[in-house]
């Protein structure tokens, strides 16, 4: 579907998100969820560590979502009840996301997080697969996003919304996660539109700019969620060395496989931190 056929759907994106949230509440019987997780390429198996979902449905059953097409992105929404000493936490998990490179425009890219915030979520965890620009990083290593550089020249916001991004990737939440796993590093993530991977020269430029990680997601969602008042945690899984770092060619299967191999560790990390974030 082209961006133009979507125009009617997103004429009022917040209203569409509100309709999405109401449909989720109706589908799950849960009036309000507290936390949402967006699982990127290869992260879907990590969601299984959260236990058995109380509900699972296709994203396209909810207003504003379309069927998804990318290998490794299955396009489902799950609702979990996670028991902890503070009581039960209702978590929404999005398996798969829409990317800018799909050419559908920015609105569908951020519709999931907007729907999650409208559904009550105060904390949004964004996961992704990324290339490691920092040569100290190893494949299979999770890295917390400390900050980002946007190279897509696009924003989910328009109009005079001069939102401060100083603490976009919540310092409070990063401290909690590092307390859970002190081996975690923090890095700067570059958002690259794709769908091509970068050239070695582009990776060289990004490293010179101060970037550690590169990927094709997360940044618009982080901005959209933050602008609505939610706290954001970004976790990148290094699935490959970025272009030119090793001289090897990049491929999507390698990205998915690295995600699958790290799924248990990622799942345990998420399960451990969720009760501490709210
Ligand atoms: N570049 C951009 N996006 C990615 C990469 C990469 O090397 N690996 C996984 N997603």
């Amino acid at each position: 579907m082209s961006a133009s056929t979507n125009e009617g759907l997103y004429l009022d994106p917040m209203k569409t998100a509100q309709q999405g949230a109401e449909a989720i509440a109706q589908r799950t019987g849960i009036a309000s969820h507290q936390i949402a997780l967006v699982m990127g390429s290869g992260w879907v198996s990590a969601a299984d560590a959260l236990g058995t979902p109380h509900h699972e449905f296709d994203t396209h059953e909810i207003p504003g979502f379309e069927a998804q097409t990318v290998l490794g992105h299955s396009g489902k929404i799950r609702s979990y009840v996670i028991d902890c000493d503070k009581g039960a936490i209702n978590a929404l998990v999005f398996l798969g996301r829409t990317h800018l490179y799909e050419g559908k425009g920015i609105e569908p890219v951020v519709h999931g997080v907007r729907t999650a915030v409208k559904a009550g979520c105060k904390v949004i965890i964004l996961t992704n697969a990324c290339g490691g620009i920092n040569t100290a990083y190893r494949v299979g290593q999770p890295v917390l996003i400390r900050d980002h550089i946007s190279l897509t020249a696009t924003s989910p916001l328009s109009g005079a919304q001069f939102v401060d991004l100083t603490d976009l990737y919540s310092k409070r939440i990063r401290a909690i996660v590092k307390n859970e796993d002190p081996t975690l590093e923090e890095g700067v993530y570059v958002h690259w539109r794709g769908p091509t991977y970068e050239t070695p020269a582009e990776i060289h430029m990004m490293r010179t700019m101060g970037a550690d990680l590169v990927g094709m997601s997360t940044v618009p969602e982080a901005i959209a969620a933050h602008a609505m008042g939610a706290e954001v945690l970004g976790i990148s899984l290094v699935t490959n060395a970025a272009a030119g770092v090793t001289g090897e060619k990049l491929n999507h299967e390698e990205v998915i496989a690295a995600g699958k191999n790290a799924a248990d560790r990622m799942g345990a990390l998420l399960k451990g931190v969720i009760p501490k974030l709210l």
Side-chain angles (χ1 to χ4, degrees), residues 81-97:
V81 180
I82 299 172
D83 289 315
C84 66
D85 50 10
K86 292 176 209 152
I89 295 172
N90 296 109
L92 267 185
V93 175
F94 295 82
L95 303 184
R97 53 155 60 93

Side-chain angles (χ1 to χ4, degrees), residues 129-132 192 197-198 214-216 239-243 250 255:
C130 74
W192 179 250
Y197 289 113
E198 308 71 29
V214 59
M216 303 178 197
T239 53
N240 56 279
L250 276 54
V255 168

Side-chain angles (χ1 to χ4, degrees), residues 22 30 37 59-60 83 85 101-102 122 132 134 148 150 168 183 194 200 202 216 260:
E22 283 164 16
I30 295 167
L37 295 91
T59 46
H60 64 258
D83 289 315
D85 50 10
Y101 61 70
E102 292 172 53
K122 303 262 181 288
N134 186 323
H148 79 228
S150 173
L168 178 54
T183 68
E202 285 159 347
M216 303 178 197
K260 286 213 171 99

